[in-house]
Amino acid sequence: VTAGGTYYIQGTTPEGCFAISPVQVTINPLPVVTVNNPPAVCEGTTVDITAAAVTSGSTANLAYSYFIDQDGTQTLDGADAITTSGIYYIKGTTPEGCSSISPVKVTVTPTPFVVVNSPSAACAGTAVDLTAPDITAGSTAGLSFHYFSDAAATQPLANANAVTSSGTYYIRGTTPGGCSAITPVLVTINPAPSLVIDNPPAVCSGTVDLTALSVTAGSTANLTFTYFTDSAGTIVLDDADAVMASGIYYIKATTSEGCSAIEPVTVTIDPTPTVTTTPPPAVCSAVSVDLTAPAVTAGSTSNLTFAYFTDAAGTAAFANADAVTAGGTYYIKGTTPEGCSAISPVQVTINPIPVVSVTDPAPVCE
């Protein structure tokens, strides 16, 4: 009998006598157990399948029990705090003892892996791009990344693709399902060196040593210096310790971390002047010679200042160069406004006055 109702049973004796009586059959309906799969959660969060929302829409007044198998033989402990993804089963039983069982799907999404490869140290003036793929290479695939300046991820990092300050920043990776993890990343931006240039003093001819400590005195300590003829630092200056030509050169200073600065340095090499001397005409004794006369140094470099000496080293000054009364070799030193000089000899010839001796002749007759 599969349908409830009143049925009748007739009992008959062997002699053919009988009686009939009614019998009531009750078949209670199976309950409907409607299951609404709970929303997926992230690892570290539990799922409560005993919540009313999970069985909303089921037959009223059911008593629920929870199992890990479809046959309802293995009871599920902790149905209100499930931490593992899987298919579980909910059995609903009516007050009359009729029951149905339905599966429920629990999804616990694992926490993603956010792998951070700290970027190489940069130098001041250079930005670090934390959004570059190699920074998070090795992380769980399909993550979307966000960048923060605090571990709680409350302060977004505005310019994550152009970080200019050293410090610890944070990268949060989020799965399409909304699960996330956060990992710190260290940014190191080394300071640029301070390069102080003191132009070397001008020299006369000769060479200038740009490697001298005085040229870069006051710069950051422990720098490595290189020398160039161009501001881009691409054309190396050979013999920086013996520069022979005036001009602007460039010194590049590099720290042990590889940060550098480049600055110009001016080299001034003034030419040695030409002192041309023309010996003055010979004079007779008692007549002086003027070595300061323009004709004596005609042909020399222009705008020279002249000084006069009795020695080739230019140490014994000659006081009366405008009235020389003794023959001999003298020396004229010509000096430029920049202080460069040359010295040349000049010959003075003063011939002696002749002696005329007279002897009166003897008297004679007219």
Side-chain angles (χ1 to χ4, degrees):
V1 177
T2 58
T6 301
Y7 296 91
Y8 296 88
I9 300 176
Q10 176 180 284
T12 303
T13 66
E15 293 79 21
C17 297
F18 65 87
I20 194 167
S21 291
V23 57
Q24 186 67 35
V25 172
T26 301
I27 298 182
N28 294 311
L30 288 176
V32 174
V33 178
T34 301
V35 168
N36 307 293
N37 291 325
V41 298
C42 298
E43 192 174 24
T45 303
T46 61
V47 174
D48 181 7
I49 63 172
T50 69
V54 174
T55 51
S56 175
S58 300
T59 300
N61 300 318
L62 296 181
Y64 294 105
S65 50
Y66 305 89
F67 301 91
I68 59 175
D69 66 318
Q70 189 172 6
D71 296 331
T73 60
Q74 300 179 53
T75 301
L76 171 63
D77 295 324
D80 59 347
I82 297 174
T83 59
T84 304
S85 294
I87 302 295
Y88 300 93
Y89 297 89
I90 301 177
K91 181 178 181 181
T93 303
T94 64
E96 295 78 23
C98 298
S99 63
S100 295
I101 195 167
S102 293
V104 58
K105 183 177 181 180
V106 171
T107 302
V108 179
T109 303
T111 300
F113 289 102
V114 177
V115 177
V116 166
N117 307 293
S118 291
S120 301
C123 297
T126 303
V128 172
D129 183 5
L130 290 181
T131 68
D134 58 326
I135 299 293
T136 50
S139 300
T140 300
L143 297 181
S144 58
F145 295 102
H146 296 85
Y147 306 85
F148 302 89
S149 58
D150 65 318
T154 61
Q155 301 173 31
L157 180 60
N159 300 314
N161 62 338
V163 178
T164 57
S165 298
S166 295
T168 300
Y169 300 91
Y170 298 86
I171 301 177
R172 185 174 70 187
T174 304
T175 66
C179 297
S180 64
I182 193 165
T183 302
V185 57
L186 179 64
V187 171
T188 301
I189 299 191
N190 294 313
S194 173
L195 176 57
V196 178
I197 297 294
D198 297 309
N199 291 325
V203 298
C204 299
S205 296
T207 61
V208 171
D209 183 4
L210 289 182
T211 67
L213 295 178
S214 59
V215 175
T216 51
S219 301
T220 301
N222 302 318
L223 297 178
T224 299
F225 297 103
T226 46
Y227 305 85
F228 302 90
T229 59
D230 65 318
S231 60
T234 59
I235 305 172
V236 175
L237 172 63
D238 295 324
D239 302 320
D241 58 347
V243 178
M244 302 176 63
S246 295
I248 296 177
Y249 300 92
Y250 297 87
I251 301 178
K252 182 178 181 180
T254 305
T255 65
S256 57
E257 293 83 16
C259 298
S260 62
I262 193 166
E263 294 290 344
V265 58
T266 300
V267 170
T268 302
I269 300 178
D270 295 316
T272 300
T274 299
V275 177
T276 302
T277 58
T278 302
V283 297
C284 295
S285 179
V287 177
S288 65
V289 172
D290 183 6
L291 290 181
T292 68
V296 176
T297 52
S300 300
T301 301
S302 60
N303 300 318
L304 295 181
T305 300
F306 295 104
Y308 304 86
F309 301 90
T310 59
D311 65 321
T315 59
F318 184 35
N320 299 313
D322 58 347
V324 181
T325 58
T329 300
Y330 297 91
Y331 297 88
I332 301 176
K333 182 178 180 180
T335 304
T336 64
E338 294 79 24
C340 297
S341 63
I343 196 166
S344 292
V346 61
Q347 186 68 39
V348 171
T349 302
I350 299 181
N351 294 316
I353 298 293
V355 176
V356 179
S357 298
V358 174
T359 302
D360 291 335
V364 298
C365 295
E366 184 174 7

